[in-house]
Structure formats: C-alpha cells, structure tokens
Amino acid sequence: MRPHYPSKLFSELVDASNPKIQLMERMNSPLHDDDNDYERKGKVVTTTGMPALMDELIEEILLRIPASSLVRLRNSVCGSWRTLISSSQFAQDHLRRSMAVDLALTHLRIAYYSYSNPIIGIFSARSVFENPPREPTKVVPYEGRRCRSIIGSCNGLLCLLDDELEDRAILWNPCTGLTSQPLKIGGIFHYCGFGYDHVNDKYKLLGIVIKKSGESVTRIFTFGPKSKWRTIQDFPYRLLDRDNKASVVGRTGRFVSGTGTLNWLLRGRRSSFVAVLSVDLVKETYSQFSAPSRDSDDDRSVFPRLDILGGCLAVCYETKKTHWTLWLMKEYGVPQSWTKLAIIRHHPLLINSRLNYVLRPMYMLKNDVLLGKSPSGKLVLCNIIDGSIYFPNIDSSSDGMTKHRPLSRGVGSRIFHIYHESLVSPSHFGLPSCSSEMRLFKPTL
C-alpha cells in the first residue's frame, strides 16, 4: 500500500511561468532599456521605462526565485540582470538564503552513474515523493566526453573523476551546465572525498594516492586559479595493513555541510567496534568519535555504512535479521547526540539473503517518509510511522545504460548522490569554465 503523505509535500515553487516573473521580464526587457539604464556597484538601477524599483528590491526578489528558474531568466532578460545573476556574490547570497531559509529555492536532485559508462542520470527527488503511481519520474541523462565517477557533491557542484585515467577531475554544476576544465590530479585514489572549507571559502579534494612505486601519500587539492596538490599528514589507516585493528568502510568520504569535514565509517576487524573517522578540511587534521553502539542482536556479518540524511551523519544497522535500526547524529561530533530515528521492518521485497547489504537511507521528507536503497537493489519509500512501503515509478529508459535493468526494477551497479541545485560556478573561484564536457544525452532510436 502506498504510504500516506502530507497533502502538500513541498511549498509552491516560483518559476519563469509565474505571472509576477513574466511581468518582471517585460519590465526589464530590451524594449525598455535605454541610455538611462545603468549599473551602479553591481546593482541594477533603471530610471525610465518602468516604475522606479530600487536595486535592492530587485535583487531581493531575484533571491527568492529557485536556481533553475534564475538560469532561464539569466538567458532571456536584460544584460544588467544577467550580470547580477551570474555574479559570484549573488550565487553565494542565493545559496545561503536557500539553505538557511527556504529549501524550496534549491531543488533537490538525485544523480547516479555506473562505472565505465559516460552517462550520468539526474532526476527530481520531489517527483519521487509527489508523483502518483502512473506518472513516472523522468530521468534527464547527460553524456560526458569520458566515463566519470561522482566523488561527491557540495553546494550544487559535483566532483567527477575520470574512470579511465584516474588522474583527472572536473567540477560540474548540472543546473547551470558549466564545468571546470579537466584538472590533472596525478595518481590513483584509494580513498577520496570532495568538500567545502567554509572558513577559507575553498573547495577541496582529498585523496589517498597510490604511487607507481606502491607507496601511498595523502594529499589535498585546493580548487582555484593556482590549483595544486599539497601533501598532508598520512591517512591514519594504512592501506592493506593487516595490523590495523579497524578497516575503513567505503571509498568516498561523506561531506557534512557547515562542518567542513569528510567522514568515513570504521569497522572493527574482530570486534564490535564502530567509529567515525573525520578529516577537517579547514585545519587539515584528523579526529575520531564513536558511532552508535551496536546491540548484541545486531548482525555483524552485515556491513553498516555511513550516509548523510538531512545534513547529518546517519548509520543503519541490521538487527536480529528482522529489521534495520536507523541512527542520526543530530549534533556533529558529539557521540551523545546519536538518536535512534527509526526501526524499519524487513519486507520480502527489500531483503537479499545472499548479500550482506544494509538499507541505505538517502532522503527523508518531514520525518515520516524515507527514500532509501534496499538490499534487494530497489529504491523504496518507507513510511516510518505506519510501516508501509512503496516503490516509486522512475522512467530511466533514456539514460542509455542498456546493460542495466530499468531503475523501477532495480538499481544494479548504479551509485547515487543527492545534491541541491545552485548557481555556484567554477569560474567564481578562479577556474576556467566551459559547457562542452557534459551535455544532454540524446539516445538513438
């Protein structure tokens, strides 16, 4: 049975079809521009052709429009608006407002990829929750010049690593369509992660690189006009070291917004030990804190994984082979803040007894409906209040991944990343940008 959802899951979004926005376009169209229109300190000031609107008011109105609608406006209105919307300061102000005040301004998207495939599929998280069963959520596919994996996402940017050479990375904003030019990073990553240093306003890529000699070295790459690697203190857990009392679970670190940290789950090799290894991208140091304690009934043969849910760290344990226990860290770095968020009962369509997989939480709506990836390989909506489940209808027929089953039947080897749309561009922090590395994929009939 389909779970019960609130009657209005998301607040009404403003887009370019809104009559108010259309009026603003007409008022600022080239037909109304003349020699008395000018810019002052990056603010729009128009003295004729329309009622005098203060530049601050115009900017305030634009800051209330979703990022995707602003991209359409940017390409269809007067030059002064285009300059404002394209500016780094406006992108930062819009991002700050959308994340802190109104999440409806930054549409939540889910991107996925599969190794050795040049396609990255993207679909709306909103549609997954809202669409009725007979109305599928459409996947929008993008094709790259090369096969690339998604290392991580932050502030609307996806960091993509070249699958073939593994020594080149690009930053891509799917909302604006802009990417950085490929950057040579050197070496092969064993562990890696992408995040934002909010103190120094820098985007950083951390990589534990394996040299040709077999040695490993830990480096941080700071994206900017003088992008380069710097070697930092070695990753605390050496690769393939049998003396390690714990192993690192997962290749890519989970970035927690607002903390400037990348995080990995640590799992005891011969004990119930579970912890979180944290890398501070600001101080470029390491720390470690406890994960939720495992019950004696937890199935330790099933590996737990670390995820992000609602901007917080999340861990899901298999318990008694009858249900999953979902934990959320409500205050970053404070072990006492681990809270048992939900108990999700096993369902025959969700489990796979042949694989030691756990339910992977992806996104939760209003603390009652959870989108997750089940051990059976299906995306599922779980109502944690009444226990009902629902399999969303996602149309992936256009994604060109012909070797995989349709998403509605199973995710296969697809790997998912959730991101919020933004106007942030690689050019805002000194990187040359282009629009040719990732383009809409048009499947051949």
Side-chain angles (χ1 to χ4, degrees):
M1 179 181 295
R2 184 183 177 92
H4 169 72
Y5 305 117
S7 59
K8 198 168 186 178
L9 299 180
F10 289 83
S11 60
E12 183 179 358
L13 300 178
V14 180
D15 60 30
S17 64
N18 189 303
K20 294 180 181 178
I21 303 304
Q22 291 177 351
L23 175 61
M24 292 172 67
E25 287 183 340
R26 290 197 301 270
M27 293 163 66
N28 282 272
S29 68
L31 294 176
H32 292 84
D33 286 347
D34 59 26
D35 292 339
N36 291 317
D37 292 351
Y38 61 97
E39 295 180 19
R40 183 176 62 203
K41 296 182 180 179
K43 306 291 186 177
V44 181
V45 178
T46 306
T47 59
T48 63
M50 70 174 198
L53 288 178
M54 294 178 62
D55 49 353
E56 291 85 357
L57 178 58
I58 293 176
E59 183 170 346
E60 182 64 27
I61 293 172
L62 293 176
L63 285 172
R64 296 171 182 266
I65 300 175
S68 55
S69 298
L70 285 171
V71 170
R72 293 195 293 271
L73 280 173
R74 183 185 63 187
N75 297 326
S76 61
V77 297
C78 61
S80 54
W81 279 31
R82 187 159 48 249
T83 299
L84 175 62
I85 295 171
S86 301
S87 71
S88 172
Q89 186 59 54
F90 183 85
Q92 290 295 329
D93 291 343
H94 187 273
L95 178 67
R96 192 178 301 111
R97 181 185 184 91
S98 61
M99 299 301 289
V101 180
D102 187 2
L103 286 175
L105 297 179
T106 170
H107 293 172
L108 193 70
R109 304 291 181 187
I110 300 176
Y112 66 86
Y113 72 97
S114 180
Y115 289 113
S116 301
N117 193 302
I119 305 297
I120 292 179
I122 294 178
F123 59 93
S124 165
R126 174 191 178 191
S127 296
V128 171
F129 285 90
E130 284 194 335
N131 284 9
R134 293 184 179 181
E135 184 180 338
T137 294
K138 294 287 187 180
V139 170
V140 179
Y142 292 85
E143 183 177 26
R145 288 185 173 182
R146 306 182 66 86
C147 299
R148 294 187 171 102
S149 304
I150 303 174
I151 292 178
S153 62
C154 177
N155 294 344
L157 294 172
L158 302 183
C159 184
L160 310 181
L161 180 67
D162 195 310
D163 280 351
E164 299 171 29
L165 299 176
E166 285 210 349
D167 68 346
R168 285 174 173 78
I170 65 171
L171 298 183
W172 175 41
N173 184 328
C175 181
T176 64
L178 297 176
T179 71
S180 65
Q181 293 181 355
L183 302 166
K184 189 170 184 178
I185 55 180
I188 298 174
F189 286 157
H190 193 88
Y191 302 119
C192 55
F194 170 67
Y196 177 60
D197 171 356
H198 58 288
V199 174
N200 299 299
D201 190 24
K202 300 290 185 183
Y203 290 87
K204 295 182 177 181
L205 171 63
L206 177 129
I208 292 78
V209 181
I210 303 176
K211 297 180 178 180
K212 292 181 179 179
S213 63
E215 289 184 276
S216 64
V217 61
T218 305
R219 295 173 175 170
I220 279 187
F221 186 85
T222 301
F223 292 96
K226 297 181 180 179
S227 300
K228 63 179 182 179
W229 282 109
R230 286 182 300 101
T231 300
I232 65 170
Q233 179 185 353
D234 284 343
F235 201 68
Y237 289 83
R238 294 184 178 180
L239 311 182
L240 306 178
D241 189 341
R242 295 183 179 180
D243 293 332
N244 287 339
K245 295 181 179 179
S247 58
V248 179
V249 181
R251 181 193 187 197
T252 56
R254 305 301 180 192
F255 177 71
V256 180
S257 181
T259 69
T261 62
L262 291 169
N263 302 268
W264 283 263
L265 194 68
L266 300 174
R267 176 179 178 270
R269 291 185 182 274
R270 301 178 183 86
S271 68
S272 60
F273 171 79
V274 184
V276 175
L277 173 65
S278 171
V279 180
D280 188 323
L281 294 177
V282 179
K283 300 177 182 178
E284 300 181 355
T285 56
Y286 303 95
S287 62
Q288 187 173 303
F289 50 83
S290 301
S293 299
R294 304 189 72 173
D295 295 336
S296 58
D297 294 326
D298 287 348
D299 188 346
R300 294 173 188 170
S301 66
V302 179
F303 293 175
R305 300 299 292 265
L306 190 66
D307 290 291
I308 302 294
L309 193 61
C312 300
L313 290 177
V315 176
C316 195
Y317 292 149
E318 171 95 11
T319 305
K320 293 184 179 180
K321 295 186 178 181
T322 60
H323 61 273
W324 297 286
T325 305
L326 178 59
W327 293 84
L328 195 71
M329 180 174 249
K330 293 194 172 181
E331 186 176 350
Y332 180 80
V334 180
Q336 295 78 10
S337 71
W338 282 111
T339 303
K340 188 180 292 185
L341 185 66
I343 293 177
I344 302 169
R345 300 290 175 184
H346 282 188
H347 186 282
L349 295 176
L350 300 183
I351 60 176
N352 186 336
S353 58
R354 296 173 299 172
L355 299 174
N356 292 333
Y357 291 167
V358 72
L359 181 76
R360 302 290 301 274
M362 296 173 64
Y363 182 70
M364 178 169 280
L365 183 67
K366 296 187 180 297
N367 295 324
D368 59 0
V369 181
L370 174 73
L371 172 65
K373 178 184 174 183
S374 70
S376 67
K378 291 185 176 182
L379 295 181
V380 61
L381 292 171
C382 304
N383 189 312
I384 65 174
I385 305 300
D386 62 21
S388 57
I389 66 170
Y390 168 68
F391 296 102
N393 183 4
I394 303 175
D395 180 6
S396 60
S397 59
S398 64
D399 71 5
M401 298 184 184
T402 55
K403 295 182 180 180
H404 298 282
R405 294 180 295 173
L407 264 182
S408 293
R409 293 176 52 196
V411 301
S413 62
R414 297 176 178 96
I415 300 173
F416 297 83
H417 285 263
I418 292 182
Y419 71 96
H420 291 272
E421 287 186 335
S422 81
L423 299 171
V424 177
S425 170
S427 64
H428 293 162
F429 40 96
L431 291 176
S433 296
C434 63
S435 58
S436 59
E437 287 292 332
M438 300 295 299
R439 294 188 175 185
L440 279 173
F441 173 68
K442 298 180 180 179
T444 55
L445 300 178

